Amino acid sequence: MQVLRTVAELRRWSRTLRATGGTTLGLVPTMGALHAGHASLIRAARASCTHVAVSLFVNPTQFGPDEDFARYPRAFEADCALAESEGVDVLFAPPVEELYPNGPDPTFVEVHALSDRLDGQSRPGHFRGVATVVAKLLIAAEPDRAFFGQKDAAQVAVVRRMAHDLLLATEIVVCRIVRDADGLALSSRNAYLTPAQRAQALTLSRAVHRAEALAAEGERRASMLIASAHGVFAAEPSEPEFRIDYIALVDAATLEPVDTAVPGTLFAVAAWVGTTRLIDNAILS
Ligand code: AMP
């Protein structure tokens, strides 16, 4: 596995690969602190592409001023070991100055409206940062496919729309949520949780599961599905450090609230456990 630090090296490698013929490149963008959720994206990339690149970049522009950029987990050695063991060809790990040589860019990508919904509502500017860095990575690597996790459902909607509107040639592939045995969606931020908080964090997956089960029984009304998830949260002993950010039933592509679920509708929750913000969701069948 090669570790590349500059856009020029990444571009040269990708173009040489393409010139070989019969090759396809899959890119898995990540912020590192890799876990089994990231590994599932790498495996999906390996299954459908001849070569796989993983980017490791904690993108400062998608963090708000009061967010966890400085303390976000960084685990370069462990990430290299995981990527190598999963058969990754190239790990692209640029320093911040490589992607933002002049500090914050006057040029950015913003997917209007979508970027202000769900997580974008409580994290102003977050999806502008995400769309911009993903666009930079796709332009630099020119992958045939890029792999994203359904865990970040709003990010999926933003990235899909950005790639579509900018006529990017990369196909956006979305992989299902990987969970711990007890249901908690894997996240690099789970590392912040104390044992007690981790137990509380399970409320998110329980709430999503409850709504999913109700929908499977035929309940289609947003009000009822959302109330059922609120019920799951309300049944938790009320800890002051545990609060709901949103519980929403939305169109998975536009992220606009809907009154009635249809197959493909997104049910999404976000909550704060102490200072850690967690998300979970399900696409209703
Ligand atoms: P991150 O490093 O958290 O930015 O995540 C990088 C990619 O991995 C994103 O596309 C995430 O949606 C995806 N991802 C993170 N956690 C999971 C998970 N539990 N299951 C599936 N994909 C995930």
Side-chain angles (χ1 to χ4, degrees):
M1 183 178 78
Q2 295 182 64
V3 176
L4 305 182
R5 300 281 184 187
T6 68
V7 169
E9 288 170 319
L10 177 66
R11 186 166 277 149
R12 200 176 311 126
W13 176 75
S14 165
R15 293 206 167 158
T16 306
L17 183 69
R18 195 170 316 274
T20 313
T23 56
T24 45
L25 174 57
L27 175 70
V28 181
T30 81
M31 296 206 299
L34 301 181
H35 51 63
H38 300 113
S40 77
L41 269 50
I42 296 171
R43 285 177 196 174
R46 280 191 57 80
S48 72
C49 302
T50 62
H51 291 75
V52 175
V54 171
S55 60
L56 287 189
F57 184 65
V58 184
N59 174 37
T61 67
Q62 71 189 67
F63 289 79
D66 299 326
E67 293 185 351
D68 55 343
F69 174 70
R71 71 179 185 120
Y72 193 84
R74 287 159 173 91
F76 184 70
E77 298 304 325
D79 289 349
C80 282
L82 185 143
E84 180 113 53
S85 72
E86 292 292 342
V88 168
D89 298 285
V90 155
L91 199 61
F92 177 55
V96 170
E97 311 77 67
E98 183 65 19
L99 291 196
Y100 300 101
N102 307 307
D105 296 326
T107 305
F108 54 83
V109 179
E110 181 150 344
V111 182
H112 274 290
L114 275 186
S115 289
D116 297 328
R117 298 186 182 135
L118 297 188
D119 310 291
Q121 194 159 25
S122 41
R123 303 186 68 188
H126 169 66
F127 284 127
R128 179 204 276 198
V130 169
T132 302
V133 80
V134 172
K136 282 177 187 255
L137 291 169
L138 298 186
I139 289 167
E142 300 176 289
D144 297 281
R145 301 191 182 91
F147 295 79
F148 295 86
Q150 178 58 39
K151 157 129 180 305
D152 296 87
Q155 171 171 285
V156 163
V158 168
V159 167
R160 274 193 195 286
R161 189 64 207 243
M162 180 273 290
H164 173 270
D165 289 355
L166 295 184
L167 310 177
L168 298 183
T170 303
E171 178 192 349
I172 305 300
V173 182
V174 180
C175 302
R176 63 173 199 83
I177 301 176
V178 177
R179 299 175 179 281
D180 267 336
D182 57 7
L184 183 68
L186 295 187
S187 163
S188 305
R189 289 192 168 95
N190 291 351
Y192 297 147
L193 303 173
T194 64
Q197 288 175 331
R198 194 195 171 290
Q200 219 161 31
L202 279 174
T203 313
L204 278 87
S205 54
R206 286 201 202 106
V208 167
H209 189 70
R210 179 80 194 105
E212 246 187 319
L214 257 191
E217 287 165 16
E219 179 58 69
R220 298 276 141 205
R221 289 167 294 178
S223 56
M224 298 306 285
L225 296 171
I226 291 169
S228 77
H230 273 286
V232 174
F233 276 89
E236 279 294 301
S238 62
E239 295 288 337
E241 58 169 22
F242 191 38
R243 75 187 157 82
I244 296 168
D245 182 2
Y246 64 70
I247 299 179
L249 185 75
V250 300
D251 180 285
T254 66
L255 305 181
E256 273 182 300
V258 297
D259 292 331
T260 309
V262 295
T265 301
L266 172 65
F267 187 83
V269 305
W272 290 92
V273 187
T275 55
T276 305
R277 189 174 171 283
L278 299 174
I279 57 176
D280 203 341
N281 71 84
I283 297 285
L284 301 182
S285 54

